[in-house]
Amino acid sequence: MMTSSNKAQVLERVRDLSHNDVNCLNEKMKIYAKWSTYDEDVDMLAYSADRHGVVALTNAVDTDSVLTRACSIVDFAAGTGRVGKKLREANFTGPIDAVDGCKEFLQKGQHNYRRTFCVIIKVDADLPAELRSGSYDAAIMCGAMSATQVEVNCLSLILAAIRVEGIAVFTTRTNQSNRDYARRLETAVHNRVSKGEIGLVFVRTVDEFELATSSEEASKDSKYIAGIIYCVKKLS
């Protein structure tokens, strides 16, 4: 049984390993590579981005006039394959590829995917041709769009991977330390909507996105931080 002492240790470990601000993403990938308790820790954190992201994609696909659950999907920042596993559990039967900068994480989850690409997700990333071809029906990125992980400008990489009329789902947190990032992401999304590049399918707020790793980060009168789920359709 998880004691309060064990829980405090896990929260501290998540704060130090996941939300730490390092000089470069290469260093963060080295930290992740040594995080042997990752899946157990995020389970304890009541992490829900993967679940909400898959539900959002499922709803979008099921209400789309063309897409079905046999569509091709690319999972950005796939980590240990939590999203891939949930997609299969949701009866997505088409090819699913994974992208992540941590080789060790990809190896843990590779059985959930057709192909895996070990690439750090950043604006100047040298992505394989498959990820730049606009050939996927859908893209998903759960949990990684934050101030200490994937830059707001990387939205362009997600959209470049999918075809016109394809669907993209991505999430971010709205806790204190990520609030400015969340505002910049919101601005970036609405700028693309105003230019006719994407259409906003829906935006959903999740009050209990994951447990806060400190009282300063928690939402008011809650032990959780909130998050946002974006679902967009590529128009051009």
Side-chain angles (χ1 to χ4, degrees):
M1 183 176 177
M2 176 71 71
T3 66
S4 58
S5 176
N6 294 145
K7 185 175 179 179
Q9 290 175 357
V10 170
L11 290 174
E12 182 178 0
R13 184 161 60 241
V14 171
R15 182 171 61 249
D16 291 344
L17 298 181
S18 182
H19 302 311
N20 60 343
D21 194 5
V22 295
N23 291 328
C24 69
L25 289 175
N26 286 313
E27 291 302 315
K28 184 176 281 287
M29 293 307 108
K30 291 177 183 177
I31 292 170
Y32 283 177
K34 298 176 182 178
W35 193 352
S36 60
T37 58
Y38 174 82
D39 284 304
E40 294 86 351
D41 289 350
V42 295
D43 282 341
M44 199 291 305
L45 192 67
Y47 174 81
S48 67
D50 49 3
R51 175 169 56 87
H52 286 294
V54 170
V55 168
L57 183 58
T58 302
N59 291 342
V61 167
D62 287 351
T63 55
D64 190 83
S65 60
V66 176
L67 294 182
T68 69
R69 295 196 201 185
C71 64
S72 59
I73 303 170
V74 55
D75 177 12
F76 282 97
T80 59
R82 298 172 69 90
V83 168
K85 181 175 183 291
K86 283 181 169 56
L87 286 168
R88 292 307 186 199
E89 291 171 349
N91 296 318
F92 280 89
T93 59
I96 306 175
D97 293 343
V99 187
D100 199 90
C102 179
K103 179 179 67 176
E104 289 77 9
F105 273 17
L106 281 175
Q107 288 172 344
K108 287 183 181 180
Q110 62 185 353
H111 58 282
N112 294 307
Y113 301 102
R114 174 183 62 174
R115 295 177 297 193
T116 60
F117 301 96
C118 188
V119 183
I120 293 177
I121 302 168
K122 53 185 180 179
V123 174
D124 60 351
D126 184 17
L127 297 177
E130 295 93 332
L131 301 177
R132 295 181 278 107
S133 62
S135 60
Y136 292 94
D137 296 313
I140 188 167
M141 181 187 285
C142 296
M145 297 201 81
S146 71
T148 60
Q149 294 170 288
V150 175
E151 302 169 53
V152 168
N153 289 344
C154 288
L155 179 57
S156 61
L157 304 183
I158 301 173
L159 296 174
I162 61 175
R163 61 175 180 80
V164 172
E165 298 296 318
I167 295 290
V169 169
F170 46 95
T171 74
T172 194
R173 301 168 178 84
T174 57
N175 52 303
Q176 180 63 38
S177 61
N178 203 60
R179 203 158 290 163
D180 178 64
Y181 180 99
R183 283 193 289 261
R184 288 188 288 114
L185 180 59
E186 180 182 22
T187 298
V189 169
H190 286 291
N191 283 345
R192 289 181 180 272
V193 169
S194 65
K195 293 176 182 178
E197 297 174 4
I198 60 174
L200 197 57
V201 180
F202 56 76
V203 181
R204 291 177 183 160
T205 299
V206 177
D207 292 330
E208 297 183 356
F209 198 68
E210 62 189 56
L211 285 172
T213 56
S214 69
S215 58
E216 293 80 12
E217 295 292 343
S219 301
K220 185 178 180 181
D221 300 323
S222 174
K223 59 184 178 180
Y224 292 89
I225 65 171
I228 299 176
I229 316 295
Y230 286 95
C231 180
V232 304
K233 173 172 280 196
K234 183 175 177 179
L235 300 180
S236 65

